Amino acid sequence: MAIRNELVEELIARRAAANAGGGIEKQEKRRKRGLLNARERIDQLYDNGSFQESGMHVDHDTSGMDHMKMPGDGVVTGIGNVNGRPVAAFSQDFTVSGGSLGRMHSQKICDMMETAANLGIPVVAINDSGGARIQEGVHSLSGYGKVFYRNVELSGLVPQIAIIAGPCAGGAAYSPALMDFLIMTRKSAQMFICGPEVIKAATGQEAPIEQFGTADAHASVSGNIHFVAEDDKHALDITRKLLSFLPQNNMQDPPHRIPNEVANFDDPGMNDLIPEGTKKPLDVRKVIERLVDGGDFLEVQKEFAKNILIGFARIDGMVVGIVGNQPPVKAGTLDVDSSDKGARFIRFCNAYNIPLVILVDVPGFMPGLAQERGGIIRHGAKMLFAFAAATVPKITVILGKAYGGAYLAMCSKDMGADFVYAWPTAEIAVMGAEGAVAVIYKKEIEAAEDRKAKEAELIAQYRKEFASPYQAAEHGMITDVIMPSETKTKLSLALRISLTKRLTRPPKKHGLMPL
């Protein structure tokens, strides 16, 4: 017997109502503003036809609103393939009660996250919500608590990526904040704990939203987000690109594409990047462009703490996380923000088995009263802690300066680096030659007839005797001194050798990072 027509028609009608969300009219208004709807965002994320939805027929459980329908309770959840690999996602639907979070809305998200944990697959959260559903009171707050709890459960287990594609205010901002990467659209999204009106009422301050709640403000000032997208489509493209570098879970290796044959990547052009004279800074971004396959470097937090660069790439097909000082900005020093930026990225790479490549050109920690009062000791210690605790392959290349505590904080051999290479231009010392000579040879300089000439002579002598990479090599502190042109070949060979690295730490719950 064939299925009865009325049953078929009912299912078709229910699916159509769910797909319509808050109604065709609301969806059209959003399209005219250049915004994708919740399901269109899902379609843009996943490989064609691979998405399997869960909870399509869920409705709200809000007391006193029985007369209203909220398709899916304002959120679309499910699993599909991204570049052929399964990924779980939820997409909040602003056309349904402003995407507000109620009990069933929360339950759908939590069920999806639990499934992702059980299957060992990444989670993508597309946030576009007016916040807690006021009519549900404490049940709505409870719903947020359950989501936050699962964010923490999944942390270090499967990658979590949040897209801020609309409003994300108050407590709603903390779920993205607990995830690994935040992508925010430039024009249509806002994220904050307290809005301008609340700030003014509480403090009397005028606080334009542009100063704290936009993508640009979060990317460059607070450092709360990792990528700025021009629109929804761009945000989803970034998500797909980011996932292409990540493993499915903490038990897997990242998606390496290692060729069978070992190649020679001799690159004479790398030698030409060395600046003439010690005063002109080396642009580490240009080094990275020549070092990674096809110049394809997915930089993370590009606009925040620009004195350090972090991001994902492939070197001879092998996925790596790159951490590099950037001398054109603040001389490449480590400060409060760059230490936080670097340490968090190192911790992520370690959690997901991504080898680390460290490019060093650092004259030290940033001096100054503001840095000292801002806690540079505590923040700088995060870099030391992150590198020392990391058990993934760690390969360090010293390009130029490597002075004092910052030399250690950028993963020297003593901090657990598996391979340490140095260019002939490297200077490894307690402090810079100029500062050291001024302290050590103060009397000799003052007694000289030509103080400037004597100082220059002593600086050259200090560099040769105390800061040369060969001195470090003689004492086994670096693996080899290499030509810049050899760098990619050396890194490729070191990565191939070290991908099998397995290091067990003493049993304990966790270390106590100086947060």
Side-chain angles (χ1 to χ4, degrees):
M1 291 177 63
I3 188 170
R4 299 202 311 272
N5 287 338
E6 58 267 30
L7 296 179
V8 174
E9 289 169 359
E10 181 183 8
L11 177 57
I12 291 172
R14 286 180 176 272
R15 285 180 173 176
N19 286 323
I24 301 298
E25 186 177 335
K26 288 183 179 179
Q27 292 188 352
E28 283 301 321
K29 283 183 179 179
R30 287 174 61 84
R31 289 192 188 100
K32 288 177 181 177
R33 291 170 51 206
L35 301 175
L36 296 178
N37 294 307
R39 292 179 182 278
E40 292 170 338
R41 289 166 175 163
I42 288 288
D43 291 341
Q44 187 72 40
L45 172 66
Y46 287 114
D47 300 344
N48 189 34
S50 69
F51 179 65
Q52 297 189 72
E53 186 173 352
S54 57
M56 173 183 275
H57 303 292
V58 166
D59 200 355
H60 70 91
D61 189 27
T62 308
S63 178
M65 298 179 66
D66 298 339
H67 61 288
M68 287 185 62
K69 278 285 185 185
M70 295 186 192
D73 201 25
V75 65
V76 181
T77 58
I79 297 172
N81 288 342
V82 177
N83 300 318
R85 299 190 299 163
V87 172
F90 72 81
S91 179
Q92 293 179 314
D93 189 346
F94 196 80
T95 69
V96 178
S97 189
S100 58
L101 184 139
R103 191 178 73 83
M104 296 307 297
H105 184 122
S106 167
Q107 182 176 312
K108 285 179 67 175
I109 293 174
C110 291
D111 288 348
M112 181 272 296
M113 295 175 79
E114 288 175 3
T115 300
N118 293 336
L119 299 179
I121 60 176
V123 171
V124 174
I126 306 174
N127 296 267
D128 189 358
S129 169
R133 188 173 300 156
I134 297 171
Q135 296 91 332
E136 292 200 22
V138 71
H139 293 292
S140 182
L141 296 178
S142 171
Y144 274 123
K146 290 175 180 177
V147 173
F148 300 163
Y149 189 87
R150 282 158 182 80
N151 282 134
V152 176
E153 277 194 318
L154 267 60
S155 180
L157 180 68
V158 297
Q160 300 181 80
I161 301 171
I163 298 173
I164 314 301
C168 187
Y174 282 114
S175 178
L178 289 167
M179 301 180 85
D180 300 310
F181 296 100
L182 284 75
I183 304 165
M184 189 170 178
T185 54
R186 192 186 299 277
K187 297 178 182 177
S188 57
Q190 294 180 344
M191 183 170 65
F192 50 81
I193 298 301
C194 299
E197 295 83 5
V198 175
I199 291 174
K200 186 172 182 179
T203 69
Q205 289 180 304
E206 294 286 348
I209 193 69
E210 292 77 18
Q211 292 185 9
F212 68 94
T214 63
D216 289 330
H218 284 298
S220 61
V221 181
S222 65
N224 286 328
I225 68 168
H226 299 82
F227 300 94
V228 176
E230 296 305 321
D231 53 28
D232 289 347
K233 182 179 182 302
H234 188 207
L236 294 159
D237 287 344
I238 293 171
T239 304
R240 291 175 63 91
K241 179 72 176 287
L242 179 56
L243 286 167
S244 74
F245 291 107
L246 308 183
Q248 292 292 88
N249 55 63
N250 67 326
M251 299 300 290
Q252 293 186 0
D253 287 331
H256 301 304
R257 304 168 187 165
I258 309 173
N260 292 327
E261 295 186 8
V262 178
N264 184 344
F265 295 102
D266 188 60
D267 179 14
M270 191 75 88
N271 297 334
D272 298 333
L273 297 181
I274 307 299
E276 293 183 11
T278 58
K279 296 297 182 183
K280 189 174 180 182
L282 172 69
D283 187 346
V284 79
R285 187 173 276 109
K286 292 181 179 179
V287 175
I288 294 171
E289 287 172 359
R290 301 194 76 92
L291 193 59
V292 304
D293 297 348
D296 186 15
F297 176 55
L298 181 62
E299 188 171 350
V300 177
Q301 286 187 294
K302 186 175 183 178
E303 300 303 321
F304 181 67
K306 295 181 179 181
N307 42 331
I308 198 167
L309 266 62
I310 58 173
F312 299 104
R314 284 183 171 83
I315 295 177
D316 195 18
M318 291 166 278
V319 174
V320 296
I322 296 178
V323 180
N325 306 116
Q326 178 61 324
V329 182
K330 298 181 180 179
T333 53
L334 290 175
D335 59 6
V336 167
D337 286 341
S338 62
S339 297
D340 283 358
K341 174 180 171 178
R344 179 173 178 176
F345 182 74
I346 294 160
R347 299 280 282 179
F348 176 86
C349 289
N350 188 54
Y352 292 104
N353 312 309
I354 298 172
L356 287 160
V357 171
I358 304 100
L359 304 176
V360 183
D361 194 348
V362 61
F365 286 96
M366 172 71 81
L369 179 61
Q371 288 294 311
E372 296 291 345
R373 287 171 61 85
I376 185 60
I377 296 172
R378 173 167 48 89
H379 291 280
K382 294 176 187 178
M383 287 283 285
L384 291 163
F385 191 106
F387 272 130
T391 58
V392 293
K394 295 176 283 191
I395 305 170
T396 299
V397 184
I398 303 173
L399 314 177
K401 298 179 180 68
Y403 294 159
Y407 155 68
L408 302 173
M410 289 301 293
C411 201
S412 65
K413 180 181 178 181
D414 301 291
M415 293 301 294
D418 299 289
F419 297 88
V420 180
Y421 299 105
W423 287 1
T425 50
E427 296 179 22
I428 306 167
V430 174
M431 62 191 302
E434 291 83 357
V437 164
V439 174
I440 299 171
Y441 302 108
K442 182 180 180 182
K443 291 182 179 178
E444 288 90 332
I445 293 170
E446 289 178 349
E449 291 184 13
D450 188 339
R451 292 186 179 184
K452 287 188 176 180
K454 186 64 175 177
E455 184 178 27
E457 176 192 333
L458 291 170
I459 287 171
Q461 180 183 331
Y462 180 91
R463 282 203 174 101
K464 184 177 181 180
E465 294 182 6
F466 300 106
S468 165
Y470 299 106
Q471 186 197 39
E474 287 170 4
H475 291 87
M477 295 177 184
I478 63 174
T479 308
D480 197 5
V481 180
I482 63 173
M483 288 295 293
S485 59
E486 300 174 298
T487 307
K488 183 168 183 177
T489 300
K490 293 290 186 180
L491 285 176
S492 171
L493 292 170
L495 284 165
R496 284 174 178 264
I497 292 166
S498 59
L499 285 181
T500 55
K501 178 182 178 183
R502 296 293 181 268
L503 190 62
T504 303
R505 296 298 193 192
K508 55 184 176 181
K509 275 193 174 182
H510 53 74
L512 300 172
M513 194 175 192
L515 299 173

